[in-house]
Amino acid sequence: MPRKTVLIYADGDFEKLAELRQRVGIAERNHESATRAPRRFGDEDTTATEVEEAHAAFDEGIDQAAERAEEWIVESIGFEQWRELLAAHPAREIQIGEGDQAETVVDPRDDDWFVNTDTFPKALLLWVDPEDGEHRTIQKAGDIDLGGLGRRLRRLSEGQFETLWATAWALNKGGISDPKALRFSTGTPRSTAT
């Protein structure tokens, strides 16, 4: 079954990483400006060292944040169970217009997903096979017991929740790809010989 690990970072880590990334950008711009400007004989370019230090600090910050992050493992559920879940949470419909001009259309909130986006995401993440309790969408949710998964999901931020259910959606809707196919181009062959 296709599966994916999603890291949910601890409080404040995104802000720290954004600040470190900003420092990298500043150092790179300073270095670019310094390399364009004419230098006098004997002038040293210290901006390259600043770029390396900023990159090293950013990499260290990512490593530290990953150590503190909660690891969630999301898995696909199988096509039959997927189809049953889709059928149980159909997209909402709304009426546009009045009288004879009335038309029923899919609610804009559900239009991109073709399911009820208020009920489907949580149902997908909490899905457990009734015949096999080991077969479920969420295989791991940090260090919590999966029996308390519902409570833990309610405590996620909107962005964390969206990331998890969109990942589960993609795992269930994704096709099969052949990694070997990436080695070849479908474009017109070109020769580099002159």
Side-chain angles (χ1 to χ4, degrees):
M1 293 284 208
R3 65 173 34 199
K4 182 159 176 65
T5 300
V6 177
L7 295 179
I8 295 184
Y9 289 96
D11 293 335
D13 278 340
F14 273 128
E15 290 80 12
K16 290 174 192 171
L17 291 175
E19 182 181 313
L20 290 169
R21 181 65 190 112
Q22 185 178 27
R23 288 182 189 168
V24 169
I26 291 168
E28 287 174 343
R29 285 191 300 278
N30 289 343
H31 178 64
E32 186 178 321
S33 294
T35 56
R36 279 198 226 144
R39 292 190 309 200
R40 296 177 301 187
F41 183 74
D43 284 350
E44 286 187 48
D45 180 15
T46 59
T47 59
T49 304
E50 292 171 9
V51 171
E52 288 176 19
E53 290 172 354
H55 275 282
F58 182 64
D59 290 344
E60 184 180 339
I62 289 174
D63 291 343
Q64 290 173 356
E67 288 174 13
R68 289 187 295 271
E70 224 177 36
E71 184 178 273
W72 289 59
I73 298 176
V74 180
E75 190 172 88
S76 67
I77 63 176
F79 78 95
E80 288 183 1
Q81 294 86 354
W82 174 253
R83 289 177 182 170
E84 289 172 7
L85 197 57
L86 290 174
H89 300 274
R92 295 165 284 192
E93 295 180 342
I94 58 172
Q95 292 283 332
I96 295 180
E98 295 181 19
D100 294 342
Q101 303 297 322
E103 181 181 355
T104 303
V105 297
V106 173
D107 189 312
R109 295 172 293 181
D110 301 341
D111 200 23
D112 292 336
W113 300 95
F114 307 108
V115 293
N116 183 328
T117 55
D118 284 344
T119 61
F120 180 81
K122 192 170 183 181
L124 173 59
L125 293 176
L126 292 175
W127 184 89
V128 178
D129 188 336
E131 297 172 9
D132 176 10
E134 298 295 314
H135 182 60
R136 55 189 322 130
T137 301
I138 302 288
Q139 294 292 317
K140 180 180 180 192
D143 294 333
I144 69 159
D145 177 71
L146 292 179
L149 184 59
R151 280 190 311 278
R152 181 64 182 102
L153 282 176
R154 285 193 298 273
R155 292 186 180 118
L156 293 175
S157 72
E158 180 73 19
Q160 293 167 335
F161 182 78
E162 292 288 326
T163 298
L164 284 171
W165 91 263
T167 300
W169 174 278
L171 286 172
N172 283 285
K173 288 293 286 181
I176 298 173
S177 62
D178 180 5
K180 292 179 183 178
L182 297 175
R183 295 187 347 206
F184 304 101
S185 172
T186 57
T188 307
R190 296 182 189 197
S191 173
T192 57
T194 54

